[in-house]
Amino acid sequence: RVSSDGKPPKFQPPPKPVIIDRKTQKEERRFLSPEFIPPRGRTDPLKYYIERKDMIQRRKVFNIPEFYVGSVLAVTTADPHASDKSKRFVGICIHRGGKGLGATFVLRNVIEDQGVEICYELYSPRIQAIEVLKLEKRLDENLMYLRDALPEYSTFDVNMKPVPRMDHEEIPVNKLQVRMKPKPWSKRWERPKYNIKGIKFELPEHKMKAAQKWSQPWLEFDMLREYDTSKIEEKIRKELSEELEK
Amino acid sequence: MMPIWTKSGEKHAVTLLKVQDCHVLRYVSKEESGGKTAKLLVGGKNVSPFSKPESAHEIFKEAGVPRKQKVTTFNVTDDAIIKPGTPLYAAHFRPGQFVDVTAKTVGKGFQGVVKRWGFKGQPASHGQTKTHRRPGAISTNKAAKVYRGKKMPGKMGNIYRTSFGLKVWRINTKHDIIYVNGSVPGHTNCLVKVKDSKLPTYKDCNKNPPFPTFFADGDEELPEDLFDEEIFQFTDPSVTFA
């Protein structure tokens, strides 16, 4: 620009470059296995610290991959009665429970028209390998309703090949809505207490309305039920990363 | 409570007991106590001295130790006497030993006869008038009295009970923790008394225990964790059956 004075224009410094650090952005999305988070209670935190040391010790020797409820896993366990002394089971993870060393996960599959569910302990020494064949999340944390869904939703090929996945991709959420067998079901999944989003309810309108009678809308405002785990999670993440690097 | 796995892949449940500031408080000789053996008074967890009068602090002052929440007696043979004031550690026990654990059970308050004594009660329907969890008859006609000790409703729990013959699987010397097989009476974080087992099957179980106790300032340098031989240690690879 030419200024009115005839002097050269005032020096404009160049705009500061905005540095987007991709590494820190990636670390924000680190996965912490749910069994590390201690439950609310009156137990001494020393007990959880010692349990965590044992869990980290096991993870150093045996790799427990990241997986969620809804991912397809293949687990090989040692079995003294099998011919090869090891058993392999492929299934979808429908539930992850337990805290600390007793953490379990339930795999479900339909083999020769028979539904089979096996509950494995994550830290059991009998488990020889855990492979994640398909890493994905579903709309719910608990897929127990697959027991009452049509069997096609629980069948997975036993010789399935692992689905390749890039490291930096976000974990895909499968928004599948599952169709159910006719009622009666093992649990009344339409009731708001289960808060299931992954079922395509084909029930008549009046039944869905009647199920809302059991809703407890005050529960989400109950302050005594709040359990903020963010700070605890940060501490545990730090501890984990330090120990696993050693 | 925590799971523990053996080398053959079996799972056992284990209770963690912490030895927190245990000191020997006083030695009572056989003649003084009037029993068959000498006694040692041992004190547990440290507690503030301000909630009790000075007269209660005499034992602790003699031993040179802060006020303890619980004081128990152990019957001890003459060769196992320890000087008052010595601290006791979890390394006093070794993995493979068998142990009895005594504690006050969880208090349930005033309870009825069905929960307290396991009575069957009465049917829920078929004409029962206001009688579903009552004791029913309490004595016979001929007795013409109710016997002493008749099971009736009352305060349940909060009494001392012992679990016998519990195996010690593992000892953590750094944090003074004993891993004991199975469950133990009492609520979480309650005070518990751990003794060598009195059961006849485990009489010869202690191969080389630290006698009279484990002294921290002694020559022995113990590793941080002591494991039983059968425990699967997490540093080993997964179990395989050959």
Side-chain angles (χ1 to χ4, degrees):
Chain A
R1 279 197 214 150
V2 181
S3 67
S4 48
D5 294 353
K7 291 181 198 162
K10 203 172 167 192
F11 170 65
Q12 301 275 357
K16 278 204 176 145
V18 179
I19 307 170
I20 308 169
D21 204 350
R22 295 221 181 264
K23 275 190 192 165
T24 44
Q25 278 189 351
K26 254 193 254 176
E27 270 185 67
E28 280 166 23
R29 188 200 60 90
R30 264 254 290 268
F31 171 71
L32 181 67
S33 216
E35 72 263 6
F36 279 103
I37 303 163
R40 225 162 45 140
R42 293 168 76 180
T43 4
D44 204 353
L46 178 67
K47 185 240 178 190
Y48 296 121
Y49 171 69
I50 287 179
E51 235 184 329
R52 247 177 287 140
K53 273 204 314 197
D54 277 342
M55 286 152 79
I56 292 169
Q57 200 43 261
R58 174 73 177 154
R59 277 183 185 244
K60 279 187 190 169
V61 175
F62 173 73
N63 171 42
I64 297 176
E66 165 189 354
F67 67 96
Y68 303 88
V69 169
S71 15
V72 182
L73 309 183
V75 172
T76 16
T77 29
D79 184 20
H81 309 295
S83 47
D84 280 335
K85 302 299 170 198
S86 70
K87 278 198 290 211
R88 186 183 141 102
F89 184 72
V90 173
I92 182 171
C93 175
I94 55 175
H95 180 248
R96 272 188 93 154
K99 297 284 178 195
L101 278 176
T104 54
F105 62 102
V106 182
L107 293 186
R108 178 182 166 85
N109 201 346
V110 171
I111 298 176
E112 292 177 18
D113 295 330
Q114 172 63 48
V116 175
E117 285 181 14
I118 303 189
C119 176
Y120 291 104
E121 284 154 4
L122 271 176
Y123 295 93
S124 167
R126 277 221 186 132
I127 296 186
Q128 280 155 352
I130 304 180
E131 305 151 37
V132 175
L133 299 176
K134 192 174 183 193
L135 181 66
E136 64 175 11
K137 282 196 210 185
R138 294 273 210 134
L139 291 170
D140 310 300
E141 297 266 312
N142 205 326
L143 296 179
M144 291 291 187
Y145 56 82
L146 289 181
R147 292 169 183 165
D148 299 314
L150 297 172
E152 62 197 37
Y153 295 100
S154 315
T155 28
F156 294 91
D157 183 21
V158 184
N159 305 314
M160 190 164 131
K161 295 279 164 62
V163 168
R165 203 189 140 252
M166 311 297 289
D167 256 345
H168 59 265
E169 266 177 17
E170 284 224 11
I171 300 149
V173 178
N174 191 350
K175 303 206 174 159
L176 176 65
Q177 297 248 304
V178 149
R179 290 185 60 213
M180 305 290 275
K181 289 195 242 184
K183 268 206 166 193
W185 297 330
S186 58
K187 293 242 168 354
R188 292 170 217 243
W189 303 113
E190 74 275 9
R191 293 219 173 149
K193 126 173 177 197
Y194 298 107
N195 194 18
I196 292 183
K197 298 176 184 117
I199 298 185
K200 186 166 185 174
F201 290 109
E202 279 149 10
L203 298 171
E205 268 294 322
H206 68 270
K207 291 231 165 131
M208 296 301 292
K209 252 185 147 181
Q212 290 304 315
K213 213 165 50 165
W214 279 269
S215 69
Q216 295 172 309
W218 58 85
L219 267 191
E220 59 172 316
F221 302 109
D222 195 342
M223 291 174 73
L224 284 183
R225 276 173 212 260
E226 281 169 9
Y227 184 38
D228 188 23
T229 48
S230 46
K231 289 185 187 160
I232 305 172
E233 271 183 41
E234 265 176 53
K235 271 194 214 162
I236 297 177
R237 271 209 187 101
K238 247 192 195 174
E239 216 187 292
L240 265 186
S241 50
E242 276 166 20
E243 290 286 327
L244 284 174
E245 271 159 33
K246 275 189 196 168
Chain B
M1 285 193 73
M2 214 161 83
I4 233 178
W5 285 273
T6 55
K7 289 193 169 139
S8 48
E10 285 151 9
K11 180 166 98 154
H12 297 272
V14 141
T15 314
L16 309 194
L17 305 175
K18 180 162 167 77
V19 177
Q20 200 165 10
D21 322 310
C22 287
H23 286 89
V24 176
L25 296 176
R26 193 195 279 175
Y27 159 65
V28 176
S29 62
K30 198 161 70 170
E31 296 79 35
E32 220 179 303
S33 64
K36 290 184 194 171
T37 47
K39 292 197 211 296
L40 279 181
L41 288 181
V42 172
K45 188 166 132 184
N46 284 348
V47 159
S48 97
F50 302 117
S51 42
K52 286 285 170 182
E54 285 292 322
S55 51
H57 292 316
E58 275 177 31
I59 314 177
F60 305 110
K61 276 188 191 158
E62 280 167 43
V65 139
R67 190 190 137 222
K68 303 288 184 185
Q69 186 170 346
K70 187 92 193 130
V71 175
T72 48
T73 39
F74 286 91
N75 290 340
V76 156
T77 44
D78 284 323
D79 51 354
I81 300 170
I82 309 173
K83 184 177 171 183
T86 38
L88 301 174
Y89 299 99
H92 177 97
F93 295 101
R94 287 299 149 92
Q97 253 186 306
F98 286 84
V99 138
D100 296 339
V101 175
T102 315
K104 270 200 171 181
T105 48
V106 175
K108 315 259 178 191
F110 196 100
Q111 286 299 338
V113 111
V114 169
K115 189 179 180 83
R116 194 178 185 211
W117 299 112
F119 283 15
K120 276 185 82 175
Q122 289 82 26
S125 71
H126 288 302
Q128 310 290 321
T129 37
K130 307 196 300 188
T131 321
H132 306 290
R133 294 176 71 93
R134 296 180 77 187
I138 52 177
S139 189
T140 49
N141 184 19
K142 201 167 177 195
K145 68 168 187 174
V146 176
Y147 295 116
R148 184 194 315 263
K150 174 84 195 71
K151 292 182 181 175
M152 283 187 161
K155 292 253 161 61
M156 181 179 164
N158 201 26
I159 45 172
Y160 284 104
R161 281 288 188 253
T162 315
S163 305
F164 295 100
L166 303 178
K167 180 168 174 177
V168 170
W169 283 108
R170 178 176 161 183
I171 301 224
N172 187 320
T173 33
K174 187 175 164 201
H175 298 281
D176 277 331
I177 298 184
I178 309 175
Y179 290 58
V180 148
N181 189 31
S183 59
V184 140
H187 56 87
T188 4
N189 301 337
C190 77
L191 289 173
V192 131
K193 177 176 174 183
V194 183
K195 279 170 83 165
D196 294 325
S197 192
K198 71 167 212 232
L199 296 180
T201 28
Y202 303 129
K203 223 174 11 174
D204 305 312
C205 236
N206 297 345
K207 281 142 210 174
N208 268 326
F211 197 76
T213 189
F214 170 74
F215 296 104
D217 48 351
D219 302 326
E220 266 188 276
E221 285 256 356
L222 287 180
E224 190 190 324
D225 271 306
L226 293 165
F227 295 93
D228 186 46
E229 296 142 356
E230 288 173 19
I231 282 192
F232 168 78
Q233 303 198 20
F234 289 115
T235 39
D236 306 331
S238 304
V239 157
T240 36
F241 299 99

